[in-house]
């Protein structure tokens, strides 16, 4: 990604489970359009991995592929460990609470509730955007996790 390339994101809902699965495949090949690498897409990746793998294996795969993808797209410093772990934990809880939901339903359900405001209900902006939180897991400073 060059400095002149727009960073506008296209936050388009997924129409089906097949679209989520195809997005994950393109993401893993570093071919998913960067403009579509949104919070919704992150949730789709997390859901897909967590429905197939143990939490630890899904988290490791997510870490690996996000960093690989970001690097390929010219955003080598884009990875954020605390947000990744927090979202993976929240997605795992969602799967447990909604075992029969489809991938598409789950992405949309999570996208509606796990936004920046949700993150900031646990973390102050200073802590969430700190180098420590980007590089490793940090506990919330506003309230304890309830999942």
């Amino acid at each position: 990604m060059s400095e002149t390339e727009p960073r506008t994101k296209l936050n388009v809902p997924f129409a089906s489970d097949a679209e989520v699965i195809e997005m994950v495949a393109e993401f893993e090949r570093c071919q998913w359009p960067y403009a579509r690498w949104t919070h919704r897409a992150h949730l789709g990746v997390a859901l897909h991995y967590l429905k197939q793998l143990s939490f630890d294996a899904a988290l490791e795969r997510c870490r690996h592929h996000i960093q690989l993808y970001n690097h390929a797209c010219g955003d080598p410093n884009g990875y954020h460990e605390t947000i990744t772990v927090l979202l993976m934990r929240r997605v795992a809880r969602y799967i447990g609470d909604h075992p029969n939901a489809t991938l598409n339903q789950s992405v949309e359900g999570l996208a509606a509730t796990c936004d920046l405001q949700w993150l900031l209900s646990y973390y102050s902006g200073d802590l969430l955007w700190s180098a420590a939180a980007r590089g490793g897991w940090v506990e919330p400073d506003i309230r304890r996790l309830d999942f």
Side-chain angles (χ1 to χ4, degrees):
M1 172 174 50
S2 71
E3 287 190 38
T4 60
E5 183 179 336
R7 294 183 67 103
T8 302
K9 295 293 186 168
L10 303 172
N11 195 17
V12 180
F14 296 104
S16 66
D17 287 5
E19 279 191 13
V20 176
I21 292 166
E22 179 58 26
M23 177 275 299
V24 173
E26 289 182 25
F27 159 74
E28 288 185 342
R29 292 189 306 265
C30 299
Q31 295 175 337
W32 182 247
Y34 191 75
R36 297 247 1 240
W37 184 234
T38 62
H39 183 64
R40 179 177 268 112
H42 282 76
L43 292 168
V45 168
L47 279 156
H48 184 67
Y49 290 169
L50 285 164
K51 284 186 171 262
Q52 298 179 51
L53 303 166
S54 70
F55 181 85
D56 290 340
L59 177 58
E60 187 55 39
R61 188 169 181 177
C62 206
R63 281 180 180 132
H64 171 76
H65 283 289
I66 290 173
Q67 292 178 56
L68 185 69
Y69 177 83
N70 285 349
H71 185 74
C73 292
D75 188 12
N77 299 316
Y79 180 76
H80 194 297
E81 176 71 3
T82 296
I83 291 176
T84 300
V85 172
L86 183 67
L87 287 177
M88 293 291 286
R89 289 175 63 176
R90 178 63 184 97
V91 169
R93 171 72 180 269
Y94 187 92
I95 291 169
D97 291 346
H98 303 88
N100 298 318
T102 66
L103 276 173
N104 184 48
Q105 291 168 337
S106 297
V107 169
E108 296 311 311
L110 283 160
T113 60
C114 296
D115 59 6
L116 180 59
Q117 289 309 112
W118 175 78
L119 292 168
L120 294 173
S121 72
Y122 292 97
Y123 291 89
S124 66
D126 287 343
L127 180 58
L128 187 61
W129 303 118
S130 69
R134 285 184 170 279
W137 169 255
V138 296
E139 291 291 331
D141 61 341
I142 292 180
R143 67 179 176 128
R144 293 174 54 103
L145 296 176
D146 50 5
F147 54 91

